Amino acid sequence: MSERVRDTGSAAIRERVRAVLPQLTDDPSTVDLPAFRVDRTGLLDVMRVLRDAPECGFQYLSCLSGVDYPDHLDVVYHIFNLQNGAGVCLKTSAPKSDPVLPSATAVWPGANWHEREVFDLLGVRFEGHPDLRRILMPEGFDAGYPLRKDFVDSRPAKVRLVRSR
Amino acid sequence: MDVSGQDAPRSWLGTPPPEAEGRSSEELPVPLWQHLPGVLTGNVQSFINWARSNSIWYMTFGIACCAIEMMATGASKYDFDRFGMIPRASPRQTDLMIVAGTVTEKMAPRIKTLYEQMAEPRWVLALGGCASNGGPYHEGYNVVDGVDKIVPVDIYVPGCPPRPEALLHGVMLLQEKVRWVQSAEKTART
């Protein structure tokens, strides 16, 4: 790493990312990190560039989380460059009628369990994930995705009890 | 239980039997040891209960934040050991399961298995609101509303989380309960 980029100010990061990925749009709702919004069709290519381009080098996926909005589901990636400490926030979204996104495990293997959690609690299906199973809820749980705002636990108490045995 | 300590009719261990209520102290039999200093009398069950109530070994088993309070109670300041309570890592060696925390539906079968692995007589103490009835997570999508839905509970300790003093009080109540066991058959529950 002879050419380490030392300037980790928000504007400088934004400028460097935009130099290699001009198709990204700014997301002003995030203030602590430079945030970009990307369409789900080009998501994997953008991720690879963010990881591999020398201007970016975001080789560490710190957090992958899902957000439930009234009409769509967001997935938020917080990625960091461990050499210079720079980080960006990448957001993508999927409609609730078709909650499918490409899996980030091909780029950052650490996304594995994060994506399983988002799948488990919000119902986003990650295509290309090696082992997309529930991770937190019991194996037999079939009442839906409990962290969605419209989730109603329709199971009668007795059924819950029997299942828990 | 008479806390005044004055003229309370007491057997050589524990509190008077329930049928003693309403009777004056003159009608109760005087324990033999009051006539013969240095001699202990009692039935075998009383000796067993005395031993059991002062050596309640509990399982090293915490499932949420209440376990921190249980650890504090077991440490030197509150000192579970003065009740003869020692943590044991194997359910086969334990008398008491302190359910310290939220019982999720995924955890519930494991808790039931642990309970079934304990040798009888065995007791369960529900520590905190979650283990008692779900607490703040009552009717949550993944929370069993109290561990008494899956195993029988002897003592409930309220609080979120309960202080170590509350757990000690619950344990002392459990000791009272253990001392009142009349026969081995009554402890056999499934």
Side-chain angles (χ1 to χ4, degrees):
Chain A
M1 301 298 286
S2 55
E3 299 174 34
R4 279 190 189 172
V5 186
R6 284 291 174 191
D7 189 355
T8 57
S10 180
I13 298 169
R14 203 181 281 279
E15 204 171 291
R16 288 203 300 276
V17 171
R18 196 166 292 297
V20 287
L21 291 165
Q23 73 268 37
L24 296 184
T25 54
D26 279 346
D27 186 288
S29 62
T30 301
V31 292
D32 53 342
L33 284 177
F36 302 97
R37 189 164 273 284
V38 62
D39 192 71
R40 61 173 168 166
T41 50
L43 182 62
L44 270 185
D45 297 331
V46 168
M47 284 174 172
R48 287 211 177 82
V49 172
L50 285 171
R51 184 191 63 179
D52 297 333
E55 297 90 340
C56 303
F58 300 113
Q59 71 274 66
Y60 177 58
L61 174 72
S62 167
C63 185
L64 189 160
S65 41
V67 191
D68 181 26
Y69 286 104
D71 54 343
H72 65 278
L73 295 160
D74 260 15
V75 173
V76 183
Y77 306 82
H78 286 86
I79 51 179
F80 288 89
N81 181 331
L82 296 182
Q83 263 75 40
N84 60 13
V88 297
C89 172
L90 186 68
K91 296 184 181 181
T92 187
S93 65
K96 277 189 176 174
S97 55
D98 179 32
V100 180
L101 284 175
S103 169
T105 49
V107 186
W108 296 289
N112 189 323
W113 282 18
H114 291 256
E115 290 186 345
R116 281 179 66 185
E117 182 186 351
V118 173
F119 162 74
D120 192 357
L121 301 177
L122 285 169
V124 178
R125 287 196 299 283
F126 292 93
E127 274 186 345
H129 191 284
D131 182 26
L132 197 61
R133 287 181 291 132
R134 287 191 180 276
I135 187 169
L136 295 172
M137 302 299 290
E139 283 84 359
F141 186 81
D142 58 357
Y145 303 105
L147 281 199
R148 288 211 188 172
K149 302 294 182 199
D150 55 1
F151 172 78
V152 177
D153 195 350
S154 53
R155 300 171 297 160
K158 237 179 197 172
V159 173
R160 296 180 58 185
L161 191 57
V162 167
R163 184 169 289 132
S164 68
R165 282 179 181 178
Chain B
M1 191 175 165
D2 190 341
V3 293
S4 67
Q6 300 294 316
D7 302 324
R10 298 181 72 97
S11 61
W12 72 277
L13 265 179
T15 50
E19 61 265 25
E21 289 177 14
R23 295 168 63 186
S24 68
S25 58
E26 289 77 23
E27 293 172 331
L28 289 169
V30 178
L32 188 61
W33 65 271
Q34 290 188 1
H35 301 290
L36 296 171
V39 175
L40 291 177
T41 61
N43 55 39
V44 173
Q45 189 64 47
S46 300
F47 277 108
I48 293 173
N49 290 348
W50 170 74
R52 275 179 182 159
S53 67
N54 290 299
S55 65
I56 301 175
W57 292 3
Y58 63 101
M59 192 152 43
T60 312
F61 169 60
I63 43 183
C65 32
C66 279
I68 303 294
E69 300 297 315
M70 186 178 74
M71 287 180 245
T73 318
S76 54
K77 182 166 182 180
Y78 294 95
D79 196 13
F80 247 164
D81 208 357
R82 63 198 156 117
F83 297 94
M85 297 185 64
I86 310 168
R88 304 300 296 178
S90 162
R92 307 277 186 206
Q93 302 169 352
T94 54
D95 309 298
L96 170 66
M97 179 164 74
I98 300 176
V99 183
T102 318
V103 182
T104 61
E105 282 184 37
K106 197 164 185 174
M107 195 67 191
R110 282 81 176 173
I111 292 174
K112 193 165 172 59
T113 304
L114 283 172
Y115 176 76
E116 285 163 353
Q117 286 175 337
M118 291 165 67
E120 289 177 350
R122 55 195 172 185
W123 294 277
V124 177
L125 186 147
L127 183 62
C130 293
S132 296
N133 71 342
Y137 309 107
H138 186 70
E139 294 188 351
Y141 60 84
N142 195 26
V143 175
V144 177
D145 295 335
V147 73
D148 54 4
K149 300 287 191 297
I150 49 171
V151 296
V153 176
D154 296 285
I155 302 287
Y156 297 87
V157 178
C160 189
R163 284 192 59 86
E165 291 94 328
L167 176 55
L168 291 175
H169 182 237
V171 165
M172 287 192 282
L173 285 176
L174 180 68
Q175 286 186 319
E176 287 292 314
K177 183 168 183 170
V178 172
R179 283 171 195 144
W180 275 105
V181 170
Q182 297 296 310
S183 66
E185 288 76 23
K186 289 198 175 173
T187 67
R189 298 163 307 177
T190 52

